[in-house]
């Protein structure tokens, strides 16, 4: 049996928008980060930016996942900070002028979803 795996890349203009958005968050440029969100995502973006402000300074950012859904793209970012990581899931779409905008943004947690859970309260239980 052969399983084909298609790697999902991002269009160059979207890659640039994702990089600019992440760089603005890392640098503390709240206005620069907010300009990418439109419509209902603006309130979610504001909440995410406020959360990011409590975790600064950040040391860097990486794309940890990406997927294409029709004409939209989901991009997951991990922004690393000394006080914890900010893991964001953003859904991007192209607007009328061809620019890319965030349609939805969600903070998916400060801890990596792949870390083992804390072992508190498990004393004496089979592990």
């Amino acid at each position: 049996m052969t399983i084909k795996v298609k790697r999902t890349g991002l269009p160059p203009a979207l890659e640039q928008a994702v990089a600019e958005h992440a760089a603005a968050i890392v640098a503390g440029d709240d206005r620069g980060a907010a300009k990418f969100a439109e419509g209902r995502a603006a309130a979610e973006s504001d909440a995410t930016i406020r959360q990011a402000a409590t975790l600064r300074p950040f040391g860097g950012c990486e794309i940890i996942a990406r997927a294409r859904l029709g004409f939209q793209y989901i991009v997951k970012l991990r922004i690393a900070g000394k006080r914890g990581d900010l893991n964001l899931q953003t859904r991007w779409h192209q607007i009328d002028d061809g620019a890319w905008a965030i349609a939805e943004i969600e903070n998916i947690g400060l801890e990596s979803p792949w870390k083992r859970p804390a072992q508190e309260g498990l004393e004496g239980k089979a592990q």
Side-chain angles (χ1 to χ4, degrees), residues 22-23 25-28 51-52 54-64 76-88 109-112 115:
I25 291 174
V26 169
Q51 178 70 35
T54 66
L55 297 172
R56 287 188 184 107
F58 291 115
C61 178
E62 66 178 320
I63 294 176
I64 57 175
K76 288 186 181 182
L77 299 171
R78 177 173 298 127
I79 303 173
K82 290 183 179 181
R83 296 182 187 153
D85 294 347
L86 182 63
N87 295 301
L88 300 178
L110 299 175
E111 300 267 336
S112 168
K115 286 185 180 176

Side-chain angles (χ1 to χ4, degrees), residues 38-105:
E38 71 160 20
R40 70 173 197 222
E44 296 167 348
S45 177
D46 290 344
T48 300
I49 290 168
R50 283 192 303 275
Q51 178 70 35
T54 66
L55 297 172
R56 287 188 184 107
F58 291 115
C61 178
E62 66 178 320
I63 294 176
I64 57 175
R66 57 187 169 262
R68 181 176 175 184
L69 298 171
F71 295 107
Q72 299 183 354
Y73 288 83
I74 304 291
V75 179
K76 288 186 181 182
L77 299 171
R78 177 173 298 127
I79 303 173
K82 290 183 179 181
R83 296 182 187 153
D85 294 347
L86 182 63
N87 295 301
L88 300 178
Q89 178 171 291
T90 53
R91 182 169 52 90
W92 293 82
H93 69 114
Q94 253 181 328
I95 52 179
D96 295 334
D97 65 358
W100 288 91
I102 296 173
E104 188 175 31
I105 185 169

